[in-house]
Amino acid sequence: MPQTKEWESPTETGEAPKTPQAPRGRGKAMFIVLLVGLVLATGGFLFWRYAQTYESTDDAQISGHLNGVSSRVAGSVTAVYVSENQFVKAGQVMAEIDPRDYQVALEQARAEAMQARAEVEAQNPNIPITETASETNISTAQSDVENAEAAVAAAERDAAAAEARLREAQANSAKAQADVARYQGLLAKDEIPREQYDQVQATAKALAAGVDSNRASADAAQKVVDQRHAQLNQAQSRLAEAHRTAPQRVAISRADVESRRASSAAAQARVDRALLDLSYTKILAPVSGVVSKRSVEVGNHVQPGQQLFSVAQLDDLWVTADFKETQLHRMAPGQRVTIDVDAFGQSFDGYVESMPAATGAVMSLLPPENATGNYVKVVQRLPVRIRFKPGQKGLGRLRPGMSVEPKVWLQ
């Protein structure tokens, strides 16, 4: 086969020119790169679409009611029936306080109540007695008025009779004085004897004295009339007073009875309070739950309001999830929630019960004050309440304070 010299071109040698070929692996690599890019883009898009369907946070924990159990009366503890982490039912006796002082107080209150009731029963008859006495006083005063009126009428009749006798005596005296004057003229003419004149003159003097006597009787009779009028006025005043004071006396008697009844009611209230204090010597569990924070022993002297136990109520638990404020724009009550519990590695179903009223920072003990001039914007967190759906297996193992990771499904 003839060889071509270096300076000879392919056309000069008579051979066809050869086309340069690309490496075989380059096209395959480009295809793989494009395929991987497409897969990553598709996966990223799908993950982005999936991430838009929920909001989650790891700043969440289980919350519940922690009911403090305290003493309501003072005394020495004689028995403690529960211990830490023990389950108790509502109404179960947890501890007892020495009841003897309160039993004595109850007996004393009952005695005072009995005395108060006896006073009410003793005072009750006074009302009809007072009413009868008032009616009797009115009747007596009315009789006195009638008697006084009759006495006035009799005195007026006596005065009128005395006045008539005075006028009669005055008429007789005037006639006798006229006879004396006439007989004096006859005596001067010696037409009558001296003895007859003396007799006429004596009769005139006697009749004149009778006038004075009858005048005195008439004056006395008039004074009797005045006296009887005064007695009548006095009797009328007593009658008016009896009418006026009768309802007041009855009212006073009724008020006294009501006062006794009020005292009896107060005494009964003291009995009820003594019964309550005696019942408080048995310290009962307010709810069903697990005992914690026991701080009392037999022999301790406790005071009212002193906390002795804490009971965690396990049948009413929820999740407090602190979401960022930027996560809440699509969140609403009723949305489905998946709750992962760190302690068990178990998931529970729940739902958004309510949205928060304020941020956690605002509700803290020392809320931030942004008006001081050094304000720095920080994304705030708001506590969303999530409720467990009932009837799930494992709910009884949950305890307040456990960390959880809720995932709220937005669609």
Side-chain angles (χ1 to χ4, degrees):
M1 182 177 181
Q3 296 181 354
T4 304
K5 299 181 178 179
E6 292 179 359
W7 62 84
E8 289 181 344
S9 64
T11 57
E12 292 178 351
T13 60
E15 295 179 358
K18 294 181 179 181
T19 304
Q21 296 181 356
R24 286 184 173 182
R26 183 180 299 178
K28 186 177 181 180
M30 291 296 295
F31 176 75
I32 293 174
V33 169
L34 291 175
L35 182 61
V36 170
L38 180 61
V39 170
L40 290 176
T42 303
F45 176 74
L46 293 177
F47 178 78
W48 178 82
R49 287 291 303 272
Y50 174 74
Q52 299 302 310
T53 62
Y54 70 89
E55 294 287 355
S56 64
T57 181
D58 58 358
D59 187 0
Q61 66 177 5
I62 298 176
S63 300
H65 299 289
L66 300 179
N67 302 276
V69 182
S70 60
S71 172
R72 302 188 65 172
V73 293
S76 298
V77 178
T78 57
V80 179
Y81 300 110
V82 297
S83 58
E84 289 281 347
N85 303 326
Q86 177 181 339
F87 181 82
V88 294
K89 294 183 178 180
Q92 179 178 339
V93 179
M94 304 179 69
E96 286 190 17
I97 297 174
D98 189 354
R100 289 175 295 179
D101 292 340
Y102 299 99
Q103 289 173 346
V104 172
L106 175 60
E107 294 301 325
Q108 181 179 359
R110 284 174 172 168
E112 292 175 353
M114 291 179 61
Q115 182 179 0
R117 286 194 295 269
E119 290 177 355
V120 171
E121 293 175 359
Q123 193 67 25
N124 269 330
N126 286 346
I127 296 177
I129 291 174
T130 303
E131 291 176 346
T132 303
S134 298
E135 294 175 357
T136 302
N137 291 336
I138 293 175
S139 300
T140 302
Q142 184 66 44
S143 299
D144 292 342
V145 169
E146 294 174 355
N147 293 334
E149 289 176 347
V152 167
E156 287 178 347
R157 289 194 299 272
D158 292 343
E163 189 67 27
R165 288 193 297 271
L166 175 60
R167 290 194 297 270
E168 181 182 1
Q170 286 175 343
N172 292 333
S173 176
K175 179 178 179 301
Q177 294 297 330
D179 290 343
V180 169
R182 187 172 62 254
Y183 275 87
Q184 188 176 9
L186 294 175
L187 178 62
K189 295 178 180 180
D190 294 330
E191 292 181 358
I192 58 173
R194 180 73 182 185
E195 182 180 358
Q196 187 176 2
Y197 172 75
D198 291 340
Q199 184 178 1
V200 171
Q201 190 177 20
T203 302
K205 290 179 179 181
L207 292 175
V211 170
D212 294 337
S213 176
N214 286 315
R215 182 178 289 108
S217 297
D219 292 340
Q222 187 59 46
K223 289 180 180 179
V224 171
V225 171
D226 296 338
Q227 183 180 3
R228 296 294 183 266
H229 274 293
Q231 293 174 350
L232 175 60
N233 293 333
Q234 186 177 4
Q236 289 174 341
S237 298
R238 286 196 297 269
L239 177 60
E241 181 182 2
H243 278 293
R244 185 175 59 255
T245 59
Q248 295 176 354
R249 293 176 186 274
V250 175
I252 290 173
S253 182
R254 291 183 184 277
D256 192 14
V257 171
E258 292 301 323
S259 176
R260 304 285 183 178
R261 287 176 178 169
S263 298
S264 177
Q268 184 60 43
R270 289 192 291 271
V271 171
D272 296 339
R273 181 52 191 255
L275 284 170
L276 279 177
D277 289 342
L278 182 60
S279 68
Y280 293 152
T281 59
K282 294 181 181 295
I283 300 174
L284 309 179
V287 294
S288 298
V290 176
V291 178
S292 62
K293 298 177 65 175
R294 168 180 162 175
S295 60
V296 63
E297 298 293 340
V298 175
N300 290 158
H301 188 83
V302 296
Q303 297 295 330
Q306 179 179 344
Q307 185 166 332
L308 310 179
F309 308 92
S310 181
V311 178
Q313 190 174 352
L314 303 182
D315 57 354
D316 186 18
L317 299 178
W318 66 91
V319 172
T320 301
D322 296 318
F323 285 95
K324 296 178 182 179
E325 56 186 331
T326 55
Q327 296 178 284
L328 301 182
H329 65 285
R330 296 173 60 195
M331 199 175 297
Q335 291 175 335
R336 184 173 62 88
V337 182
T338 300
I339 306 167
D340 296 328
V341 181
D342 295 352
F344 309 130
Q346 181 180 354
S347 296
F348 294 89
D349 293 329
Y351 60 93
V352 177
E353 182 180 34
S354 61
M355 302 301 291
T359 64
V362 170
M363 302 299 291
S364 64
L365 180 62
L366 298 174
E369 179 54 65
N370 296 331
T372 58
N374 58 351
Y375 171 68
V376 177
K377 184 176 180 180
V378 178
V379 177
Q380 299 295 320
R381 289 184 178 270
L382 292 92
V384 176
R385 175 170 287 199
I386 299 171
R387 183 69 68 172
F388 290 96
K389 290 185 178 179
Q392 300 181 72
K393 184 179 181 180
L395 287 178
R397 302 169 63 191
L398 301 178
R399 295 293 185 271
M402 285 184 172
S403 297
V404 297
E405 292 187 10
K407 182 181 292 184
V408 180
W409 299 98
L410 304 177
Q411 294 179 355

